[in-house]
Amino acid sequence: MSDEERRRAASAPATGEEYAASAPESLDRRREQIDAHSNQLARDLAAARAELAECRTDAERLRVRLARFETEHYRVCNEYAALEQQVEELGNICVALERIHGTCDHGEVLAAIQDVVINVVGSEELAVFERAADGFAPAQRFGVEARQLPELRLGQGVLGRAAGGAAWFAGDGPQPPEHADLTAAVPLTAGAEVVGVLAVWRMLGHKPRFGEADRAVLDLLGRHAGTALYLTSPQPQAGTAARAS
Amino acid sequence: MSRKKILLVDDSSTVILMEKMILSKGPYDIVVAKDGQEGVDKAAAEKPDLILMDVMMPRLTGFDACKQLRARGNATPVILVTTRGESENVRTGYDAGCSDYITKPINGADLLAKVRGYLGA
């Protein structure tokens, strides 16, 4: 037998007959070895399963923690967005105030009112009525023909009630049939005196809606623009303006 | 890093105030022009990195001002600021050479996002 044949014979698995022919003590020993190995494998499997269960528990705990962080992150983002919106609205109010009070010229105050309504509120259809000797007369208009302007009679209709100090905004009850496109009728006041009325009709087409921030700006205009108009009026009408109801 | 320069072209003091207030949140130097012609002149003189241009202005509209800028070889990005968001108006702006547009009343977050898109954060 060559060296190569001897090596092959030594490494070749034993046949069943060879096993059967070997001594019983060898078989028992082999059996014990296999049992021991099998038991070790079972212990290893149990340990692996225990570790897997622990990992799953950890994963679940981390998942819950991640969900909490995501909820908190979402809440903080929403708060930040709301604050940004508030800052923008305050900025718009600052701009409106600076424009209204940045001049001593009556005409420029009227122009500033128009500018604020167009560029801050977002409407290109507006008119300012001012208190005159015999009632209220249009003093400024944009996007509305003079002949289209309604007559303003104190106490009559939405505009007339605004002349008496009662502001009206779209959404405050039913839309008045005589003003289908009216968005706001705002009294312009100097203290308790109504010195004019600001009427705003349709919003710009791309503006989503007339909102609370717009209402706040118009409220502000009502008070500050009214005062500015009164103070810059060529002939101050102290005591003769309609009193706000 | 050097600050970027933005030219605001608008005849409305209200809009200028709003734009300045919004852009004050970023590292930008602001130059102002009160009408389209002044806008064209200042674009040549100040060499801004971005122009915010109103449409309806005295002396020269935003569309015509943009056409003049392009005719002079000025490639500065121009964002039109318009009350008219209709597609026809926007198309007219693009035909005049404008790069983008934003509608009035200006939303601060939208304006800042567009500006940062052209100038970086």
Side-chain angles (χ1 to χ4, degrees):
Chain A
M1 191 183 274
S2 68
D3 290 342
E4 183 63 24
E5 287 168 339
R6 276 197 211 96
R7 273 198 298 277
R8 282 190 193 145
S11 63
T15 64
E17 289 169 352
E18 286 165 338
Y19 267 126
S22 61
E25 294 81 9
S26 300
L27 281 176
D28 288 340
R29 206 162 36 248
R30 185 73 181 149
R31 202 174 287 118
E32 284 171 9
Q33 285 174 348
I34 291 170
D35 286 344
H37 189 58
S38 174
N39 291 339
Q40 184 59 47
L41 284 175
R43 283 193 294 274
D44 288 347
L45 179 60
R49 281 179 173 156
E51 192 176 344
L52 178 61
E54 197 176 321
C55 286
R56 282 181 174 153
T57 304
D58 282 346
E60 177 61 19
R61 190 169 58 242
L62 286 171
R63 190 194 65 75
V64 168
R65 199 172 164 201
L66 177 63
R68 273 204 300 268
F69 281 136
E70 284 178 344
T71 302
E72 179 66 9
H73 175 72
Y74 185 71
R75 185 190 66 79
V76 169
C77 285
N78 282 345
E79 268 187 28
Y80 181 80
L83 279 170
E84 284 260 309
Q85 184 63 30
Q86 281 183 13
V87 167
E88 176 159 320
E89 289 168 10
L90 285 171
N92 287 345
I93 286 175
C94 284
V95 167
L97 285 173
E98 186 160 341
R99 288 289 285 121
I100 295 300
H101 293 300
T103 179
C104 295
D105 180 85
H106 192 77
E108 288 182 11
V109 173
L110 287 168
I113 296 171
Q114 174 180 302
D115 213 22
V116 169
V117 172
I118 293 171
N119 292 299
V120 180
V121 178
S123 172
E124 288 186 320
E125 293 180 1
L126 64 117
V128 177
F129 298 83
E130 277 197 285
R131 177 75 177 176
D134 56 350
F136 288 81
Q140 184 85 2
R141 59 181 174 83
F142 188 91
V144 184
E145 294 295 325
R147 56 185 167 78
Q148 292 174 309
L149 286 176
E151 195 176 345
L152 200 161
R153 292 184 181 173
L154 184 62
Q156 291 187 17
V158 168
L159 293 181
R161 285 193 290 276
W168 180 88
F169 296 94
D172 291 351
Q175 189 77 20
E178 69 275 17
H179 298 297
D181 295 328
L182 191 68
T183 296
V186 182
L188 303 176
T189 58
E193 311 283 344
V194 177
V195 299
V197 172
L198 168 62
V200 179
W201 283 275
R202 291 179 299 179
M203 293 289 105
L204 290 167
H206 55 266
K207 187 173 166 81
R209 62 184 182 88
F210 178 78
E212 285 304 310
D214 302 314
R215 187 170 179 145
V217 172
L218 290 181
D219 270 337
L220 188 91
L221 277 183
R223 294 190 303 279
H224 288 267
T227 302
L229 284 173
Y230 180 79
L231 292 174
T232 58
S233 172
Q235 295 176 340
Q237 313 248 338
T240 62
R243 289 194 174 270
S245 57
Chain B
M1 185 181 292
S2 61
R3 289 165 65 91
K4 300 291 186 181
K5 187 182 291 185
I6 303 177
L7 172 62
L8 309 179
V9 187
D10 206 308
D11 61 326
S12 164
S13 303
T14 303
V15 173
I16 295 292
L17 277 171
M18 290 174 75
E19 288 174 343
K20 277 183 168 180
M21 193 172 287
I22 292 165
L23 295 173
S24 67
K25 296 177 185 176
Y28 310 119
D29 292 330
I30 303 298
V31 181
V32 175
K34 286 290 187 182
D35 59 53
Q37 188 59 59
E38 188 182 347
V40 172
D41 296 338
K42 284 200 172 178
E46 299 281 346
K47 294 180 174 39
D49 299 290
L50 179 68
I51 301 173
L52 296 182
M53 178 101 71
D54 184 25
V55 173
M56 297 310 298
M57 289 183 288
R59 289 215 287 169
L60 201 64
T61 67
F63 295 142
D64 291 334
C66 196
K67 284 177 186 172
Q68 277 198 24
L69 286 173
R70 299 303 181 236
R72 294 180 185 192
N74 188 319
T76 305
V78 175
I79 299 177
L80 274 186
V81 183
T82 176
T83 55
R84 293 276 179 262
E86 298 93 348
S87 57
E88 186 177 331
N89 207 51
V90 172
R91 266 200 297 274
T92 304
Y94 287 141
D95 287 343
C98 297
S99 315
D100 206 336
Y101 79 98
I102 191 165
T103 52
K104 298 179 188 180
I106 297 172
N107 176 284
D110 290 349
L111 177 62
L112 269 178
K114 281 188 187 283
V115 168
R116 285 170 182 156
Y118 284 100
L119 300 183

